[in-house]
Amino acid sequence: MELSAKELRIIKSLDDGSLYASPMLVQQLLRYPGMRNPRLFLSFDYHGQANGYLPVGQCYSDETYTYIAAMPQSPAISPTYTPGATQVLKRLRLAYFDTDLVSYDPSFRQEPTASAYGLALERYLQLLSPSRRTDIRRKLKRLRAFTIKPGNLLDIVEARPWLIEVWSERFSPAELLDQEAYARVTIAWLAAVQHSGRANLKIDRYQLNGKTVGINCCVLHAYQGRLHCDDYLTWYDPKLASGLGIASVVRNLTNPDLLGSRYNLANPGVGGIHPRHLYKLNLLPASIRLTQAVFDTRAIHHNRCVASF
């Protein structure tokens, strides 16, 4: 779907400078493969002026419209949303709709998510159980053998075969095709983010003996006055860099340059966090986990129907 001239004017008029308010990125979301009937849901105030929009599409069923976040095939990485999305959600009258967004509006239910404010390493280790603390220390000690250098998008493209190798042991052939498509969408999105000029890609190349054996990519961007660090991926050679995924998480969470920023590893959906993402949640002790608003209009529609009888 291509944005109409009217929709583009609305997006530009509401642009607050944040990452997801970029007209180019909104258009990128609406072009995602696998999303049927992509469109913008718009909200207008009592004077007829647009005050919010939300890119949506049908992914799971023909009865459900879903917020198109950065990655429609998995939970959204960044808990940010387009300007005025809250206004859109409050006015929805659809029977079926689900989405997950961050919001400080008290009318939204808050759920724990794999996000936390960046903190010092020793503080983080103190919060862990003895067994996990020992395991994390062991992984960090092994990390000292790596040389870490800045990377670029081409390094991510070249690392994709490692991802497929790891996934080939976890998924059926049919599922593996979906994961390959997911990898392509991820790279396309990161390229669009970089081109938008509204975020910095922090790409770390992990090397052993001068050879790159792993890559980690985080997107750094400002949202509502706070720096967000969205950890998108860690792809690595499973033979030479096993355990790098967890070690890179700890390294990013406790990065001295990112203290106080919101580190986002994975988010819940309406029905709770996906089982394959539970390990991410478990890396963050409950005492430091942040929450994310979850708004399920299916439940609201059901309650309205019950109240009408």
Side-chain angles (χ1 to χ4, degrees):
M1 171 198 167
E2 298 299 310
L3 291 167
S4 68
K6 177 183 177 181
E7 290 170 332
L8 191 57
R9 284 196 300 271
I10 289 174
I11 291 173
K12 289 181 176 180
S13 70
L14 296 175
D15 190 350
D16 59 7
S18 61
L19 179 62
Y20 277 66
S22 164
M24 185 195 77
L25 291 183
V26 174
Q27 180 65 82
Q28 177 77 4
L29 293 176
L30 293 172
R31 291 173 179 160
Y32 266 10
M35 301 298 289
R36 301 182 304 281
N37 300 318
R39 57 188 293 190
L40 279 187
F41 280 163
L42 300 171
S43 174
F44 297 87
D45 62 20
Y46 292 110
H47 301 289
Q49 297 296 312
N51 61 3
Y53 64 92
L54 190 68
V56 298
Q58 292 172 315
C59 183
Y60 306 107
S61 71
D62 291 339
E63 293 82 26
T64 305
Y65 269 99
T66 302
Y67 168 52
I68 306 177
M71 301 207 186
Q73 295 151 303
S74 76
I77 296 297
S78 181
T80 66
Y81 57 102
T82 50
T86 301
Q87 301 303 320
V88 177
L89 290 172
K90 287 181 177 179
R91 289 171 170 77
L92 281 177
R93 294 296 182 269
L94 295 179
Y96 297 95
F97 185 95
D98 69 336
T99 188
D100 46 80
L101 307 167
V102 75
S103 174
Y104 303 105
D105 190 304
S107 64
F108 288 75
R109 188 177 80 249
Q110 297 291 318
E111 296 285 353
T113 186
S115 295
Y117 294 132
L119 72 170
L121 176 59
E122 286 306 315
R123 171 60 179 156
Y124 170 72
L125 292 173
Q126 291 170 6
L127 298 173
L128 304 177
S129 66
S131 59
R132 182 169 287 273
R133 186 184 307 125
T134 299
D135 179 57
I136 294 298
R137 286 190 184 277
R138 183 168 56 247
K139 286 181 169 60
L140 292 177
K141 183 177 181 180
R142 192 172 171 215
L143 198 62
R144 296 173 192 164
F146 295 90
T147 300
I148 304 173
K149 294 186 176 181
N152 54 45
L153 280 172
L154 181 59
D155 295 313
I156 297 178
V157 174
E158 293 176 346
R160 195 167 67 92
W162 295 330
L163 176 73
I164 302 305
E165 182 179 352
V166 171
W167 278 342
S168 64
E169 299 176 357
R170 303 177 184 176
F171 298 102
S172 68
E175 289 176 319
L176 191 59
L177 290 176
D178 289 337
Q179 299 306 315
E180 289 177 336
Y182 171 75
R184 289 193 295 271
V185 167
T186 300
I187 294 170
W189 172 255
L190 291 174
V193 166
Q194 180 171 268
H195 187 65
S196 75
R198 301 196 178 198
N200 294 318
L201 300 190
K202 185 180 80 67
I203 301 176
D204 297 328
R205 281 191 301 145
Y206 289 82
Q207 295 185 320
L208 277 178
N209 302 318
K211 177 184 178 182
T212 299
V213 295
I215 196 89
N216 170 259
C217 178
C218 293
V219 172
L220 305 179
H221 63 105
Y223 182 68
Q224 293 187 347
R226 184 182 293 275
L227 179 67
H228 279 234
C229 175
D230 305 336
D231 197 331
Y232 270 81
L233 60 89
T234 302
W235 297 348
Y236 56 86
D237 185 328
K239 301 181 184 67
L240 299 175
S242 178
L244 185 60
I246 290 177
S248 66
V249 166
V250 176
R251 183 173 178 270
N252 289 325
L253 175 64
T254 62
N255 186 331
D257 294 332
L258 298 175
L259 290 179
S261 65
R262 177 166 176 148
Y263 175 68
N264 304 307
L265 189 58
N267 292 328
V270 171
I273 200 162
H274 192 283
R276 285 178 180 154
H277 292 263
L278 277 176
Y279 81 94
K280 298 179 179 180
L281 190 69
N282 293 335
L283 279 173
L284 302 180
S287 61
I288 65 170
R289 287 177 200 159
L290 299 175
T291 61
Q292 175 186 323
V294 173
F295 189 86
D296 187 353
T297 56
R298 291 173 299 182
I300 291 178
H301 177 79
H302 174 73
N303 293 338
R304 284 173 178 161
C305 290
V306 171
S308 66
F309 282 103

